Amino acid sequence: MDTTMIVLLLAAIVTVSIVLIIASQMRERARIERARKITSLEDRYKRANRLLSELPGQYLTNDLKLLLVRNMEDTCRALIALRAGSSVSSWQASVAEQRQKIENNDDQRPPVKIDSPDKSTYVQELLQNLFKLIEGMHKSGQIDGPTAKKNLKFVLFLVHKTHADLHVFQARDYVKQNQIRKAIHAYHLASTEMGKSRDNPMAVKAVKSFRTRIKELESLEQGETAQASAEGQSKLDREWDNFLHDDEWRKKADYDD
């Protein structure tokens, strides 16, 4: 075998080795990328499921529930396409059952009182995550612009409502302690929060109720009878506690404006 043949043979061996190495690296990169996509999708499913499970029942309209369900359905389909694992089938079955319950109006969730700063902060965190999820669905083409705008607007309203909930709870506590000036201030804060959603008719109604309550407390502070104050407090308490629990608010509020 002459020198030329040896050189050619060695070159062929080197070339084949390089091709094999490159092919191996590409397979490894593909494996890593597939694993990354699966992890990302699993995290996306868990985030949506957490929002569906942990947001206060009075905040979750059927529209929001179905948005979260759609997000989880799309995630399950993407995971199945990647041949992710056996758990995806059970997730898909669970989501299908959840959708059926929502569409049958059989998905009742208990309301949660926002009665501490920690609880208020936690719910706000959930709402911020929901806001980002809806934005992501719009960017990925899962929902159109009007649907995204409508629901993002409503989520911002809920953020303001969460702040107001805490101020109302504090105001009630101050009234019980006969700290009327502090109670008035807390109601002012609640009114300011709801005023940030002034295009929402229910928020406007809440602001009017708070202003009425403030006037009652100012009269109480000036020495008028406590009976009127107690009656006003009771009426406002009932209205506020049922603010998002009653289906009637859904008919009055229009978030497409």
Side-chain angles (χ1 to χ4, degrees):
M1 184 179 294
D2 59 22
T3 303
T4 302
M5 289 295 295
I6 293 172
V7 170
L8 290 173
L9 182 59
L10 289 173
I13 292 171
V14 170
T15 301
V16 170
S17 297
I18 291 172
V19 170
L20 290 173
I21 290 170
I22 292 173
S24 176
Q25 288 177 338
M26 290 177 66
R27 282 197 300 270
E28 180 62 14
R29 286 174 187 160
R31 185 192 67 79
I32 292 171
E33 179 62 15
R34 176 177 173 275
R36 185 195 66 77
K37 287 181 178 179
I38 289 174
T39 300
S40 177
L41 287 167
E42 287 175 343
D43 287 344
R44 190 172 84 178
Y45 177 92
K46 290 173 183 176
R47 283 195 300 271
N49 192 43
R50 178 192 174 206
L51 292 172
L52 192 59
S53 302
E54 298 184 20
L55 274 166
Q58 71 270 26
Y59 285 12
L60 282 170
T61 63
N62 277 358
D63 281 350
L64 285 179
K65 290 176 188 176
L66 289 173
L67 268 185
L68 291 168
V69 164
R70 184 190 303 182
N71 184 271
M72 290 190 286
E73 287 172 339
D74 289 347
T75 302
C76 285
R77 281 192 288 269
L79 285 167
I80 288 171
L82 289 169
R83 299 186 299 277
S86 57
S87 61
V88 180
S89 297
S90 62
W91 288 357
Q92 201 169 36
S94 175
V95 174
E97 182 181 351
Q98 190 70 60
R99 171 178 282 280
Q100 191 65 48
K101 289 176 66 176
I102 295 168
E103 291 177 344
N104 291 341
N105 204 28
D106 193 30
D107 183 62
Q108 305 303 320
R109 297 165 187 266
V112 176
K113 283 193 176 183
I114 311 299
D115 54 8
S116 73
D118 286 345
K119 193 176 289 186
S120 176
T121 300
Y122 180 64
V123 172
Q124 287 169 45
E125 176 194 323
L126 292 175
L127 290 170
Q128 287 164 4
N129 289 336
L130 177 58
F131 192 94
K132 291 176 184 176
L133 182 144
I134 296 171
E135 281 187 320
M137 291 182 73
H138 180 223
K139 288 177 182 176
S140 66
Q142 288 178 280
I143 55 176
D144 59 27
T147 301
K149 180 181 177 182
K150 168 187 172 182
N151 287 282
L152 289 172
K153 197 173 185 179
F154 180 57
V155 172
L156 284 177
F157 162 72
L158 291 178
V159 171
H160 302 148
K161 170 72 166 57
T162 303
H163 283 289
D165 269 329
L166 180 59
H167 293 314
V168 169
F169 174 80
Q170 292 170 333
R172 293 175 181 179
D173 200 43
Y174 286 137
V175 169
K176 291 175 184 176
Q177 299 173 42
N178 203 33
Q179 298 184 51
I180 305 304
R181 181 48 46 187
K182 288 185 178 180
I184 290 172
H185 179 63
Y187 278 123
H188 272 300
L189 292 175
S191 178
T192 298
E193 284 299 327
M194 296 311 295
K196 293 175 183 177
S197 289
R198 61 177 61 89
D199 56 346
N200 182 304
M202 295 302 287
V204 172
K205 179 180 177 182
V207 169
K208 290 179 180 178
S209 294
F210 291 142
R211 287 175 179 169
T212 299
R213 182 58 182 153
I214 288 168
K215 289 179 181 178
E216 291 170 350
L217 290 173
E218 287 173 341
S219 296
L220 176 64
E221 195 179 32
Q222 293 167 9
E224 297 184 13
T225 63
Q227 183 178 356
S229 174
E231 290 173 353
Q233 173 71 29
S234 177
K235 183 174 182 293
L236 178 61
D237 285 352
R238 287 194 304 272
E239 288 180 351
W240 186 250
D241 288 341
N242 293 320
F243 188 63
L244 291 183
H245 307 174
D246 193 336
D247 284 340
E248 187 62 27
W249 72 271
R250 304 171 197 270
K251 300 173 186 175
K252 295 179 181 177
D254 182 0
Y255 305 107
D256 293 319
D257 292 339

